[in-house]
């Protein structure tokens, strides 16, 4: 693929990610797209959720991002971890 075409594809992908409210994480082992909360959401106003009170307060996730799927594409296998740590 020529360098100009590759640059154009990457620029288009970056624009789609920004408008689609996705977060991209890439390394040599995988590409990962995860949803982000919408700033225009009337329920959470971009915070991603709200705190539920009580004796043990916890955060409840908003449906503007929590119900959306994640996408992972594996590239290289992760290196094997040793069973025992060397001392």
């Amino acid at each position: 693929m020529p360098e100009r075409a590759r640059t154009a594809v990457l620029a288009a992908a970056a624009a789609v990610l920004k408008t689609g409210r996705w977060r991209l994480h890439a390394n040599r082992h995988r590409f990962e797209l995860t949803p982000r909360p919408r700033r225009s959401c009337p329920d959470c106003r971009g915070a991603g959720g709200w705190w539920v009170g009580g004796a043990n307060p916890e955060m409840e996730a908003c449906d503007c991002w929590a119900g959306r799927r994640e996408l992972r594409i594996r590239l290289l296998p992760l290196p094997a971890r040793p069973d025992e740590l060397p001392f």
Side-chain angles (χ1 to χ4, degrees), residues 29-71:
H29 300 291
R30 70 180 180 272
F31 287 120
E32 186 173 299
L33 289 169
T34 54
R36 294 190 332 196
R38 292 185 333 210
R39 291 184 190 179
S40 62
C41 178
D43 295 329
C44 70
R45 297 181 181 95
W50 49 88
W51 287 97
V52 179
N56 298 320
E58 59 184 67
M59 184 142 201
E60 185 173 331
C62 184
D63 288 335
C64 71
W65 70 275
R68 293 168 48 191
R69 295 181 59 191
E70 295 180 356
L71 175 66

